Amino acid sequence: PELPATILKNACYCDMFSGCSSLIIAPKLPATKLAVSCYFDMFLNCCNLISAPDLPATKLEDLCYYRMFEGCSKLSIAPNLPATNLVQACYQGMFKGCSNLNAAPELPTTNLANLCYAFMFYDCSSLTEAPRLPATILAKDCYLRMFYGCSNLNVAPQLPATTLTESCYYGMFSNCSSLTSVPELPATTLASSCYSSMFYDCTNLTTAPSDLPA
């Protein structure tokens, strides 16, 4: 059905099409201001979904896109994500398991939140290049396992932050077996588990950062 609503309520579309394995095209989602958990698991495991709707929202709320397209293994193009102020877990697991996704959307914001990008591209094995990540002020778990299992990722983004937070880069590039070099890590102030498992099992890595100045 068409979903023309522009004013949403908490969890309004949560799990709406979850497991609809024959669904090919998603309806339009025109809302520009979201609600808590509004699209939570909305298209979870829609394994034949080939096209994502435009997502014009600029005002996010906690968990709004949580696992929205997880398991959509035929989805090849991600929608634009224009919001500039992120909130807790807003993109967590959004494209997890989208094994056919070959391009990531731009992520230009510098205003992060706890878990905002956690697991976002987990096991996106067709992704070859990561988006730019310009944030210099991080949040707890913000990049947690963001690119875990992206086995074709060969270019990592620059990571300019100089003050880290708890588990901020935890497992960020784990199992990225095509990654051959890593970005410089200029941070001078570390935090608990900040680099833990960051490049775990990157079996083709040949170059490490030239300096760890912390």
Side-chain angles (χ1 to χ4, degrees):
E2 293 184 6
L3 301 173
T6 55
I7 299 174
L8 307 184
K9 295 293 184 181
N10 293 353
C12 55
Y13 293 131
C14 178
D15 285 312
M16 187 173 187
F17 300 106
S18 180
C20 292
S21 57
S22 294
L23 187 69
I24 297 173
I25 299 173
K28 293 180 180 179
L29 299 171
T32 56
K33 182 179 179 181
L34 304 187
V36 173
S37 300
C38 58
Y39 297 138
F40 190 110
D41 286 356
M42 188 175 185
F43 300 102
L44 179 69
N45 291 327
C46 289
C47 56
N48 277 297
L49 190 72
I50 58 174
S51 177
D54 289 334
L55 298 174
T58 54
K59 178 67 169 66
L60 307 185
E61 293 292 345
D62 293 351
L63 299 158
C64 54
Y65 292 127
Y66 184 88
R67 302 195 317 186
M68 187 177 185
F69 300 106
E70 179 177 335
C72 294
S73 54
K74 288 192 176 179
L75 189 69
S76 60
I77 300 174
N80 291 327
L81 300 171
T84 55
N85 290 297
L86 304 190
V87 292
Q88 182 167 311
C90 54
Y91 297 134
Q92 183 172 342
M94 187 176 186
F95 301 105
K96 185 178 180 182
C98 291
S99 55
N100 203 40
L101 192 72
N102 53 45
E106 291 186 10
L107 301 172
T109 184
T110 58
N111 298 308
L112 306 188
N114 294 351
L115 292 162
C116 56
Y117 293 132
F119 303 95
M120 188 176 186
F121 301 105
Y122 188 105
D123 273 346
C124 289
S125 54
S126 294
L127 196 67
T128 58
E129 188 172 350
R132 192 171 67 92
L133 299 172
T136 56
I137 300 175
L138 306 186
K140 182 181 177 182
D141 299 314
C142 56
Y143 296 128
L144 176 70
R145 293 182 174 170
M146 185 178 185
F147 300 104
Y148 182 104
C150 291
S151 54
N152 277 297
L153 188 71
N154 52 54
V155 179
Q158 297 299 308
L159 300 171
T162 56
T163 300
L164 305 189
T165 54
E166 184 178 343
S167 300
C168 55
Y169 295 135
Y170 190 109
M172 187 176 185
F173 301 103
S174 288
N175 294 307
C176 289
S177 53
S178 294
L179 203 64
T180 58
S181 63
V182 301
E184 293 296 318
L185 300 173
T188 55
T189 302
L190 306 186
S192 176
S193 298
C194 57
Y195 291 135
S196 182
S197 302
M198 188 175 184
F199 301 102
Y200 182 90
D201 226 10
C202 291
T203 52
N204 279 301
L205 200 65
T206 59
T207 305
S210 60
D211 185 31
L212 294 171

